Amino acid sequence: MSFSERLKSLIGEESVSGFARRVDISEALIRKYLKGSEPSFSKATQTEQS
C-alpha cells in the first residue's frame, strides 16, 4: 500500500483541511501527498501518529 493510499485511509470521512489542521501540516502539503508525492520520514511519522 502506498503512502497516498494509507493517507486516504487515515483521512477517511474527515475533510482534507480538517485532517491537515489536526496533524499540523499544511493542507497544500497533504494534497500533494494525496497526489503521490512521498513525504520525508518525519512528516510521514507525524501524519501516521495522529
Side-chain angles (χ1 to χ4, degrees):
M1 181 181 272
S2 71
F3 182 78
S4 176
E5 291 169 329
R6 290 192 307 266
L7 183 57
K8 287 175 188 175
S9 177
L10 284 172
I11 294 171
E13 297 295 318
E14 188 175 0
S15 69
V16 173
S17 61
F19 180 80
R21 281 191 301 273
R22 184 164 57 88
V23 298
D24 196 30
I25 296 177
S26 74
E27 182 178 349
L29 192 52
I30 296 291
R31 291 188 185 282
K32 183 177 175 182
Y33 294 156
L34 289 171
K35 289 181 181 178
S37 181
E38 293 290 323
S40 65
F41 181 75
S42 63
K43 291 292 186 188
T45 302
Q46 186 176 349
T47 59
E48 291 181 358
Q49 288 180 353
S50 297

